[in-house]
Amino acid sequence: MKTRLAAGFAASVLLGMPAFAADLPVKAFTKAPALAAYDWTGFYLGVNVGLGVARNETTWAIPAANSLAKTNLGPFGAIGGAQVGYNWQWRNLVFGLETDFQGAGVTENRFCGDTCVDGTAIRIEQKLDWFG
């Protein structure tokens, strides 16, 4: 029993030594480098692709019936194009010129045959070919 007690006492003395980690030397303070100023001056070119979706009410006159007819059109299609430009930065201001051209295939077609008012055949078309 005495040997166990002596071994436990020896272990607690050896393992209970104070830790000196908090007493490490302090490193010298270094300031972070200044941020590099970004310059927006320059030429750029870009492309884009998207989807065109619309919903609008269309009204047309039917002279034979002396009335108006209405329908909701929903043109739908692809859009894609490019933009090009040049920017100049002066101090904290940016000036620039830009142009773009977009091709579009957004269309909606409706045809009203014998079921229209007074049997008049009507074709309604909305189409967007390009914009810029």
Coordinates of all heavy atoms in Angstrom, one line a residue, residues 13-101:
V13 N 3.6 14.9 -8.3 CA 4.7 15.9 -8.3 C 5.2 16.1 -9.7 O 5.4 17.2 -10.2 CB 5.8 15.5 -7.3 CG1 7.0 16.4 -7.5 CG2 5.3 15.5 -5.9
L14 N 5.4 15.0 -10.4 CA 6.0 15.1 -11.8 C 5.0 15.7 -12.8 O 5.3 16.5 -13.6 CB 6.5 13.8 -12.3 CG 7.7 13.2 -11.6 CD1 8.0 11.8 -12.1 CD2 8.9 14.1 -11.8
L15 N 3.7 15.3 -12.7 CA 2.7 15.8 -13.6 C 2.1 17.1 -13.2 O 1.5 17.8 -14.0 CB 1.6 14.7 -13.7 CG 2.0 13.4 -14.3 CD1 0.8 12.4 -14.3 CD2 2.5 13.6 -15.7
G16 N 2.3 17.5 -12.0 CA 1.7 18.7 -11.5 C 2.7 19.9 -11.6 O 2.5 20.9 -10.9
M17 N 3.7 19.8 -12.5 CA 4.6 20.9 -12.7 C 3.9 22.1 -13.3 O 3.0 21.9 -14.1 CB 5.8 20.4 -13.6 CG 6.6 19.3 -13.0 SD 7.5 19.8 -11.5 CE 8.7 20.9 -12.2
P18 N 4.2 23.3 -13.0 CA 3.5 24.4 -13.6 C 3.8 24.5 -15.1 O 4.9 24.2 -15.5 CB 4.1 25.6 -12.8 CG 5.4 25.1 -12.3 CD 5.3 23.6 -12.1
A19 N 2.9 25.1 -15.8 CA 3.0 25.3 -17.2 C 3.5 26.7 -17.5 O 3.0 27.6 -16.9 CB 1.6 25.1 -17.9
F20 N 4.4 26.8 -18.4 CA 5.0 28.1 -18.7 C 4.5 28.7 -20.1 O 5.1 29.6 -20.6 CB 6.5 28.0 -18.7 CG 7.0 27.7 -17.4 CD1 7.5 26.5 -17.1 CD2 7.0 28.7 -16.4 CE1 8.0 26.2 -15.8 CE2 7.5 28.4 -15.1 CZ 8.0 27.1 -14.8
A21 N 3.4 28.1 -20.7 CA 3.0 28.5 -22.0 C 2.6 30.0 -22.0 O 2.7 30.6 -23.0 CB 1.9 27.6 -22.5
A22 N 2.0 30.4 -21.0 CA 1.5 31.8 -20.9 C 2.7 32.8 -20.8 O 2.5 34.0 -21.1 CB 0.6 32.0 -19.8
D23 N 3.8 32.3 -20.5 CA 5.0 33.2 -20.4 C 5.8 33.3 -21.6 O 7.0 33.6 -21.5 CB 5.8 32.8 -19.2 CG 5.0 32.8 -17.9 OD1 4.0 33.7 -17.9 OD2 5.3 32.1 -17.0
L24 N 5.3 32.9 -22.8 CA 6.1 33.0 -24.0 C 6.4 34.4 -24.4 O 5.6 35.3 -24.0 CB 5.3 32.3 -25.2 CG 5.2 30.8 -25.1 CD1 4.3 30.3 -26.2 CD2 6.5 30.1 -25.1
P25 N 7.5 34.7 -25.0 CA 7.8 36.1 -25.4 C 6.7 36.7 -26.3 O 6.2 36.0 -27.2 CB 9.1 36.0 -26.1 CG 9.3 34.6 -26.4 CD 8.5 33.8 -25.5
V26 N 6.4 37.9 -26.2 CA 5.4 38.6 -27.0 C 6.0 39.0 -28.4 O 7.1 39.6 -28.4 CB 4.9 39.9 -26.3 CG1 3.9 40.6 -27.2 CG2 4.3 39.5 -25.0
K27 N 5.3 38.7 -29.5 CA 5.8 39.0 -30.8 C 5.6 40.5 -31.0 O 4.6 41.1 -30.5 CB 5.1 38.2 -31.9 CG 5.4 36.8 -31.8 CD 4.7 36.1 -33.0 CE 5.0 34.6 -32.9 NZ 4.3 33.9 -34.0
A28 N 6.4 41.1 -31.8 CA 6.3 42.5 -32.1 C 5.0 42.8 -33.0 O 4.7 42.0 -33.8 CB 7.5 43.0 -32.9
F29 N 4.3 43.9 -32.7 CA 3.1 44.2 -33.4 C 3.4 44.7 -34.8 O 4.3 45.5 -35.0 CB 2.4 45.3 -32.7 CG 1.1 45.8 -33.4 CD1 0.0 45.1 -33.4 CD2 1.1 47.0 -34.0 CE1 -1.1 45.5 -34.0 CE2 0.0 47.5 -34.7 CZ -1.1 46.7 -34.7
T30 N 2.7 44.1 -35.8 CA 2.9 44.5 -37.2 C 1.6 45.0 -37.8 O 0.6 44.3 -37.6 CB 3.5 43.4 -38.1 OG1 2.6 42.3 -38.0 CG2 4.9 42.9 -37.6
K31 N 1.6 46.1 -38.4 CA 0.4 46.7 -38.9 C 0.1 46.1 -40.3 O 1.0 45.8 -41.1 CB 0.6 48.2 -39.1 CG -0.7 48.9 -39.5 CD -0.4 50.4 -39.5 CE -1.7 51.1 -39.9 NZ -1.5 52.6 -40.0
A32 N -1.2 45.8 -40.6 CA -1.6 45.3 -41.9 C -1.2 46.2 -43.0 O -1.3 47.4 -42.9 CB -3.1 45.0 -41.9
P33 N -0.8 45.7 -44.1 CA -0.5 46.5 -45.3 C -1.7 47.3 -45.8 O -2.8 46.8 -45.7 CB 0.1 45.6 -46.3 CG -0.5 44.2 -46.0 CD -0.7 44.2 -44.5
A34 N -1.5 48.4 -46.3 CA -2.6 49.2 -46.9 C -3.2 48.5 -48.1 O -2.5 47.8 -48.8 CB -2.1 50.6 -47.3
L35 N -4.5 48.7 -48.2 CA -5.2 48.1 -49.4 C -4.8 48.7 -50.7 O -4.6 50.0 -50.7 CB -6.7 48.2 -49.2 CG -7.4 47.4 -48.1 CD1 -8.8 47.7 -48.0 CD2 -7.2 45.9 -48.3
A36 N -4.6 47.9 -51.7 CA -4.3 48.5 -53.0 C -5.5 49.1 -53.6 O -6.6 48.6 -53.6 CB -3.7 47.4 -53.9
A37 N -5.4 50.3 -54.2 CA -6.5 51.0 -54.8 C -6.8 50.3 -56.1 O -5.9 50.0 -56.9 CB -6.1 52.4 -55.0
Y38 N -8.0 50.0 -56.4 CA -8.4 49.4 -57.7 C -8.8 50.5 -58.7 O -9.4 51.5 -58.4 CB -9.6 48.5 -57.4 CG -9.9 47.7 -58.6 CD1 -9.2 46.6 -58.9 CD2 -11.0 48.0 -59.5 CE1 -9.5 45.8 -60.1 CE2 -11.3 47.3 -60.6 CZ -10.5 46.2 -60.9 OH -10.8 45.4 -62.0
D39 N -8.4 50.3 -59.9 CA -8.6 51.2 -61.0 C -9.6 50.6 -61.9 O -9.4 49.6 -62.5 CB -7.3 51.6 -61.7 CG -7.5 52.7 -62.7 OD1 -8.5 53.3 -62.8 OD2 -6.5 52.9 -63.5
W40 N -10.8 51.3 -62.1 CA -11.8 50.8 -63.0 C -11.6 51.3 -64.4 O -12.4 51.0 -65.3 CB -13.2 51.4 -62.5 CG -13.6 50.7 -61.2 CD1 -13.4 51.1 -60.0 CD2 -14.4 49.5 -61.2 NE1 -14.0 50.2 -59.1 CE2 -14.6 49.2 -59.8 CE3 -14.9 48.6 -62.1 CZ2 -15.3 48.1 -59.3 CZ3 -15.6 47.5 -61.6 CH2 -15.8 47.2 -60.3
T41 N -10.5 52.0 -64.7 CA -10.3 52.4 -66.1 C -10.0 51.2 -67.0 O -9.2 50.4 -66.7 CB -9.1 53.4 -66.1 OG1 -9.4 54.5 -65.3 CG2 -8.8 53.9 -67.5
G42 N -10.7 51.2 -68.2 CA -10.4 50.1 -69.1 C -11.5 49.7 -70.0 O -12.7 50.1 -69.8
F43 N -11.3 48.8 -70.9 CA -12.2 48.3 -71.9 C -12.8 47.0 -71.3 O -12.2 46.3 -70.7 CB -11.4 48.0 -73.2 CG -12.2 47.4 -74.2 CD1 -13.1 48.1 -75.0 CD2 -12.0 46.0 -74.5 CE1 -13.8 47.4 -76.0 CE2 -12.8 45.4 -75.4 CZ -13.6 46.1 -76.2
Y44 N -14.1 46.8 -71.7 CA -14.7 45.5 -71.3 C -15.7 45.1 -72.3 O -16.2 45.9 -73.1 CB -15.4 45.6 -69.9 CG -16.5 46.6 -69.9 CD1 -17.8 46.3 -70.1 CD2 -16.3 47.9 -69.5 CE1 -18.8 47.2 -70.1 CE2 -17.3 48.9 -69.4 CZ -18.6 48.5 -69.7 OH -19.6 49.4 -69.7
L45 N -15.9 43.8 -72.4 CA -16.8 43.1 -73.3 C -17.5 42.0 -72.6 O -16.9 41.3 -71.8 CB -16.0 42.5 -74.5 CG -16.7 41.7 -75.5 CD1 -17.6 42.6 -76.3 CD2 -15.7 41.1 -76.4
G46 N -18.8 41.9 -72.8 CA -19.6 40.8 -72.1 C -20.7 40.3 -73.0 O -21.1 40.9 -74.0
V47 N -21.1 39.1 -72.7 CA -22.2 38.5 -73.4 C -23.3 38.0 -72.3 O -23.0 37.9 -71.2 CB -21.8 37.2 -74.2 CG1 -20.9 37.7 -75.3 CG2 -21.1 36.2 -73.3
N48 N -24.5 37.9 -72.8 CA -25.6 37.4 -71.9 C -26.6 36.6 -72.6 O -26.7 36.7 -73.8 CB -26.2 38.7 -71.2 CG -26.8 39.6 -72.2 OD1 -27.9 39.3 -72.8 ND2 -26.2 40.7 -72.4
V49 N -27.3 35.8 -71.9 CA -28.3 34.9 -72.4 C -29.5 35.0 -71.4 O -29.2 34.9 -70.2 CB -27.9 33.5 -72.7 CG1 -29.0 32.6 -73.1 CG2 -26.7 33.5 -73.7
G50 N -30.7 35.0 -71.9 CA -31.8 35.0 -70.9 C -33.1 34.5 -71.6 O -33.1 34.0 -72.7
L51 N -34.2 34.8 -70.8 CA -35.5 34.3 -71.2 C -36.4 35.5 -71.2 O -36.4 36.2 -70.2 CB -35.9 33.2 -70.3 CG -37.2 32.5 -70.7 CD1 -37.1 31.8 -72.0 CD2 -37.6 31.5 -69.5
G52 N -37.2 35.7 -72.2 CA -38.2 36.8 -72.2 C -39.6 36.2 -72.0 O -40.0 35.3 -72.7
V53 N -40.3 36.7 -71.0 CA -41.7 36.3 -70.7 C -42.5 37.6 -70.5 O -42.1 38.5 -69.8 CB -41.7 35.4 -69.4 CG1 -43.1 35.0 -69.1 CG2 -40.8 34.2 -69.6
A54 N -43.7 37.6 -71.1 CA -44.6 38.8 -70.9 C -46.0 38.3 -70.7 O -46.4 37.1 -71.0 CB -44.5 39.7 -72.0
R55 N -46.9 39.2 -70.2 CA -48.3 38.9 -70.1 C -49.0 40.2 -70.3 O -48.8 41.1 -69.5 CB -48.6 38.3 -68.8 CG -50.1 38.0 -68.5 CD -50.3 36.5 -68.6 NE -51.7 36.3 -68.3 CZ -52.5 35.5 -69.0 NH1 -52.0 35.0 -70.1 NH2 -53.7 35.3 -68.7
N56 N -49.8 40.4 -71.3 CA -50.5 41.6 -71.5 C -51.8 41.4 -72.2 O -52.0 40.5 -73.0 CB -49.6 42.6 -72.3 CG -49.1 42.0 -73.6 OD1 -49.8 41.3 -74.3 ND2 -47.9 42.3 -73.9
E57 N -52.7 42.3 -71.9 CA -54.1 42.3 -72.5 C -54.1 43.0 -73.8 O -53.6 44.1 -73.9 CB -55.1 42.9 -71.6 CG -56.5 42.8 -72.0 CD -57.5 43.4 -71.0 OE1 -57.4 44.6 -70.8 OE2 -58.2 42.6 -70.4
T58 N -54.7 42.4 -74.9 CA -54.7 43.0 -76.2 C -56.2 43.2 -76.6 O -57.0 42.3 -76.4 CB -54.1 42.1 -77.2 OG1 -52.7 41.9 -76.8 CG2 -54.1 42.7 -78.6
T59 N -56.5 44.4 -77.1 CA -57.9 44.7 -77.5 C -57.9 45.0 -79.0 O -57.0 45.8 -79.4 CB -58.4 45.9 -76.7 OG1 -58.3 45.6 -75.3 CG2 -59.8 46.2 -77.0
W60 N -58.8 44.6 -79.7 CA -59.0 44.9 -81.1 C -60.4 45.2 -81.4 O -61.3 44.7 -80.8 CB -58.4 43.9 -82.0 CG -59.1 42.6 -82.1 CD1 -60.1 42.2 -82.9 CD2 -58.9 41.5 -81.2 NE1 -60.5 41.0 -82.7 CE2 -59.8 40.5 -81.6 CE3 -58.1 41.2 -80.1 CZ2 -59.9 39.2 -81.0 CZ3 -58.2 40.0 -79.5 CH2 -59.1 39.0 -79.9
A61 N -60.6 46.0 -82.4 CA -62.0 46.4 -82.8 C -62.5 45.5 -83.9 O -61.8 45.0 -84.8 CB -62.0 47.9 -83.4
I62 N -63.8 45.2 -83.8 CA -64.5 44.4 -84.8 C -65.6 45.3 -85.4 O -66.6 45.5 -84.9 CB -65.1 43.1 -84.2 CG1 -64.0 42.3 -83.5 CG2 -65.8 42.3 -85.2 CD1 -64.5 41.2 -82.7
P63 N -65.2 45.9 -86.6 CA -66.1 46.9 -87.2 C -67.5 46.3 -87.5 O -68.5 47.0 -87.4 CB -65.4 47.4 -88.4 CG -64.0 47.0 -88.2 CD -64.0 45.8 -87.3
A64 N -67.6 45.1 -88.0 CA -68.8 44.5 -88.5 C -69.8 44.4 -87.3 O -71.0 44.6 -87.5 CB -68.6 43.2 -89.1
A65 N -69.3 44.1 -86.1 CA -70.1 43.9 -85.0 C -70.2 45.2 -84.1 O -70.9 45.3 -83.1 CB -69.6 42.8 -84.1
N66 N -69.4 46.2 -84.5 CA -69.3 47.5 -83.8 C -69.0 47.2 -82.3 O -69.7 47.7 -81.4 CB -70.6 48.3 -83.9 CG -70.4 49.7 -83.5 OD1 -69.2 50.2 -83.5 ND2 -71.5 50.4 -83.3
S67 N -68.0 46.4 -82.1 CA -67.6 46.0 -80.7 C -66.1 45.8 -80.6 O -65.3 45.9 -81.6 CB -68.3 44.7 -80.3 OG -67.8 43.6 -81.1
L68 N -65.6 45.6 -79.4 CA -64.2 45.3 -79.1 C -64.1 43.9 -78.6 O -64.9 43.4 -77.9 CB -63.7 46.3 -78.1 CG -63.7 47.8 -78.4 CD1 -63.3 48.6 -77.2 CD2 -62.8 48.0 -79.6
A69 N -63.0 43.3 -78.9 CA -62.7 41.9 -78.4 C -61.3 42.0 -77.7 O -60.5 42.8 -78.0 CB -62.6 40.9 -79.5
K70 N -61.2 41.2 -76.6 CA -60.0 41.2 -75.8 C -59.4 39.8 -75.7 O -60.2 38.8 -75.7 CB -60.3 41.8 -74.4 CG -60.7 43.2 -74.4 CD -60.9 43.6 -73.0 CE -61.3 45.1 -72.9 NZ -61.5 45.6 -71.6
T71 N -58.1 39.7 -75.5 CA -57.5 38.5 -75.2 C -56.2 38.8 -74.5 O -55.7 39.9 -74.5 CB -57.2 37.6 -76.5 OG1 -56.7 36.4 -76.1 CG2 -56.1 38.3 -77.3
N72 N -55.7 37.8 -73.7 CA -54.4 37.9 -73.0 C -53.3 37.2 -73.8 O -53.5 36.0 -74.1 CB -54.5 37.3 -71.6 CG -55.3 38.2 -70.7 OD1 -55.1 39.4 -70.7 ND2 -56.1 37.6 -69.9
L73 N -52.3 37.9 -74.2 CA -51.2 37.3 -74.9 C -50.0 37.1 -73.9 O -49.8 37.9 -73.0 CB -50.7 38.2 -76.1 CG -51.8 38.4 -77.2 CD1 -51.2 39.4 -78.2 CD2 -52.1 37.1 -77.8
G74 N -49.3 36.1 -74.2 CA -48.1 35.8 -73.3 C -46.9 35.4 -74.2 O -46.5 34.3 -74.3
P75 N -46.2 36.5 -74.8 CA -45.0 36.2 -75.6 C -44.0 35.5 -74.7 O -43.8 35.8 -73.5 CB -44.6 37.6 -76.0 CG -45.7 38.5 -75.7 CD -46.5 37.9 -74.7
F76 N -43.2 34.6 -75.3 CA -42.2 33.8 -74.6 C -41.1 33.5 -75.6 O -41.3 33.2 -76.8 CB -42.9 32.5 -74.1 CG -42.0 31.6 -73.4 CD1 -41.8 31.8 -72.0 CD2 -41.3 30.6 -74.0 CE1 -41.0 30.9 -71.3 CE2 -40.5 29.7 -73.3 CZ -40.3 29.9 -72.0
G77 N -39.8 33.5 -75.2 CA -38.7 33.2 -76.0 C -37.4 33.5 -75.5 O -37.3 34.1 -74.4
A78 N -36.3 33.2 -76.2 CA -34.9 33.4 -75.8 C -34.5 34.8 -76.1 O -34.9 35.4 -77.1 CB -34.0 32.4 -76.4
I79 N -33.6 35.3 -75.3 CA -32.9 36.6 -75.5 C -31.4 36.4 -75.3 O -31.0 35.7 -74.4 CB -33.4 37.7 -74.5 CG1 -34.9 37.9 -74.7 CG2 -32.6 39.0 -74.6 CD1 -35.5 38.9 -73.7
G80 N -30.6 37.0 -76.2 CA -29.2 36.9 -76.0 C -28.5 38.1 -76.7 O -29.0 38.7 -77.7
G81 N -27.3 38.5 -76.2 CA -26.7 39.6 -76.8 C -25.3 39.9 -76.2 O -24.7 39.1 -75.5
A82 N -24.8 41.1 -76.5 CA -23.5 41.5 -76.1 C -23.4 42.9 -75.7 O -24.3 43.7 -76.2 CB -22.4 41.2 -77.2
Q83 N -22.5 43.3 -74.8 CA -22.3 44.7 -74.5 C -20.8 45.0 -74.5 O -20.0 44.1 -74.2 CB -22.9 45.0 -73.1 CG -22.4 44.2 -71.9 CD -23.2 42.9 -71.7 OE1 -24.1 42.6 -72.4 NE2 -22.7 42.1 -70.8
V84 N -20.5 46.2 -74.8 CA -19.1 46.6 -74.9 C -19.0 48.0 -74.4 O -20.0 48.8 -74.5 CB -18.6 46.5 -76.4 CG1 -19.4 47.4 -77.3 CG2 -17.1 46.8 -76.4
G85 N -17.9 48.3 -73.7 CA -17.8 49.7 -73.1 C -16.4 50.0 -72.7 O -15.5 49.2 -72.8
Y86 N -16.2 51.2 -72.3 CA -14.9 51.7 -71.7 C -15.2 52.6 -70.6 O -16.1 53.5 -70.6 CB -14.2 52.5 -72.8 CG -12.8 52.8 -72.4 CD1 -11.8 51.9 -72.6 CD2 -12.4 54.0 -71.8 CE1 -10.4 52.1 -72.2 CE2 -11.2 54.3 -71.4 CZ -10.2 53.3 -71.6 OH -8.9 53.6 -71.2
N87 N -14.5 52.5 -69.5 CA -14.6 53.3 -68.3 C -13.4 54.1 -68.0 O -12.3 53.6 -68.3 CB -14.9 52.4 -67.1 CG -16.3 51.9 -67.1 OD1 -17.2 52.5 -67.6 ND2 -16.5 50.8 -66.4
W88 N -13.6 55.3 -67.4 CA -12.4 56.1 -67.0 C -12.7 56.4 -65.5 O -13.8 56.8 -65.1 CB -12.4 57.5 -67.7 CG -12.1 57.4 -69.1 CD1 -10.9 57.3 -69.7 CD2 -13.1 57.4 -70.2 NE1 -11.1 57.3 -71.1 CE2 -12.4 57.3 -71.4 CE3 -14.5 57.4 -70.2 CZ2 -13.0 57.2 -72.6 CZ3 -15.1 57.3 -71.4 CH2 -14.4 57.3 -72.6
Q89 N -11.7 56.2 -64.7 CA -11.8 56.5 -63.2 C -11.0 57.8 -63.0 O -9.9 57.8 -63.3 CB -11.3 55.4 -62.3 CG -11.5 55.7 -60.9 CD -11.2 54.5 -60.0 OE1 -11.1 53.4 -60.4 NE2 -11.1 54.8 -58.7
W90 N -11.7 58.7 -62.3 CA -11.0 59.9 -61.9 C -11.3 60.1 -60.4 O -12.5 60.3 -60.0 CB -11.5 61.1 -62.7 CG -10.9 62.4 -62.3 CD1 -9.7 62.8 -62.5 CD2 -11.6 63.5 -61.7 NE1 -9.5 64.1 -62.0 CE2 -10.7 64.5 -61.5 CE3 -12.9 63.7 -61.2 CZ2 -11.0 65.7 -60.9 CZ3 -13.2 64.9 -60.6 CH2 -12.3 65.9 -60.4
R91 N -10.3 60.0 -59.6 CA -10.5 60.0 -58.1 C -11.4 58.9 -57.7 O -11.2 57.8 -58.0 CB -10.8 61.4 -57.6 CG -9.7 62.4 -57.9 CD -10.1 63.7 -57.4 NE -9.0 64.7 -57.8 CZ -9.1 66.0 -57.5 NH1 -10.2 66.4 -56.9 NH2 -8.2 66.8 -57.9
N92 N -12.6 59.3 -57.1 CA -13.5 58.3 -56.7 C -14.7 58.2 -57.6 O -15.7 57.6 -57.3 CB -14.1 58.6 -55.2 CG -13.0 58.4 -54.2 OD1 -12.1 57.6 -54.4 ND2 -13.1 59.1 -53.1
L93 N -14.6 58.8 -58.8 CA -15.7 58.8 -59.8 C -15.3 57.9 -61.0 O -14.2 57.9 -61.4 CB -16.0 60.2 -60.2 CG -16.5 61.2 -59.2 CD1 -16.7 62.6 -59.8 CD2 -17.8 60.7 -58.6
V94 N -16.3 57.3 -61.5 CA -16.1 56.5 -62.7 C -17.0 57.0 -63.8 O -18.2 57.1 -63.6 CB -16.4 55.0 -62.5 CG1 -16.2 54.1 -63.7 CG2 -15.4 54.4 -61.4
F95 N -16.5 57.3 -65.0 CA -17.2 57.7 -66.2 C -17.1 56.7 -67.2 O -16.0 56.1 -67.3 CB -16.7 59.1 -66.7 CG -16.8 60.2 -65.7 CD1 -15.6 60.5 -64.9 CD2 -17.9 60.9 -65.5 CE1 -15.7 61.5 -64.0 CE2 -18.0 61.9 -64.5 CZ -16.9 62.2 -63.8
G96 N -18.1 56.5 -68.0 CA -17.9 55.4 -69.1 C -18.9 55.6 -70.2 O -19.9 56.3 -70.1
L97 N -18.7 54.8 -71.2 CA -19.5 54.7 -72.4 C -19.8 53.2 -72.6 O -18.9 52.4 -72.5 CB -18.9 55.3 -73.6 CG -18.5 56.7 -73.6 CD1 -17.7 57.1 -74.9 CD2 -19.8 57.6 -73.6
E98 N -21.1 52.9 -72.9 CA -21.4 51.5 -73.1 C -22.5 51.4 -74.2 O -23.3 52.3 -74.3 CB -22.0 50.9 -71.8 CG -22.4 49.4 -72.0 CD -22.9 48.8 -70.7 OE1 -22.1 48.7 -69.8 OE2 -24.1 48.5 -70.6
T99 N -22.5 50.3 -74.9 CA -23.5 50.0 -75.9 C -23.8 48.6 -75.8 O -23.0 47.8 -75.4 CB -23.2 50.5 -77.3 OG1 -24.3 50.3 -78.1 CG2 -22.0 49.7 -77.8
D100 N -25.0 48.2 -76.2 CA -25.4 46.8 -76.2 C -26.3 46.5 -77.4 O -27.0 47.4 -77.9 CB -26.0 46.3 -74.9 CG -27.3 46.9 -74.7 OD1 -27.5 48.1 -74.6 OD2 -28.3 46.1 -74.6
F101 N -26.4 45.3 -77.8 CA -27.3 44.8 -78.8 C -27.8 43.4 -78.3 O -27.1 42.6 -78.0 CB -26.7 44.7 -80.2 CG -27.6 44.2 -81.2 CD1 -28.5 45.1 -81.8 CD2 -27.7 42.9 -81.5 CE1 -29.4 44.7 -82.7 CE2 -28.6 42.5 -82.5 CZ -29.5 43.4 -83.1

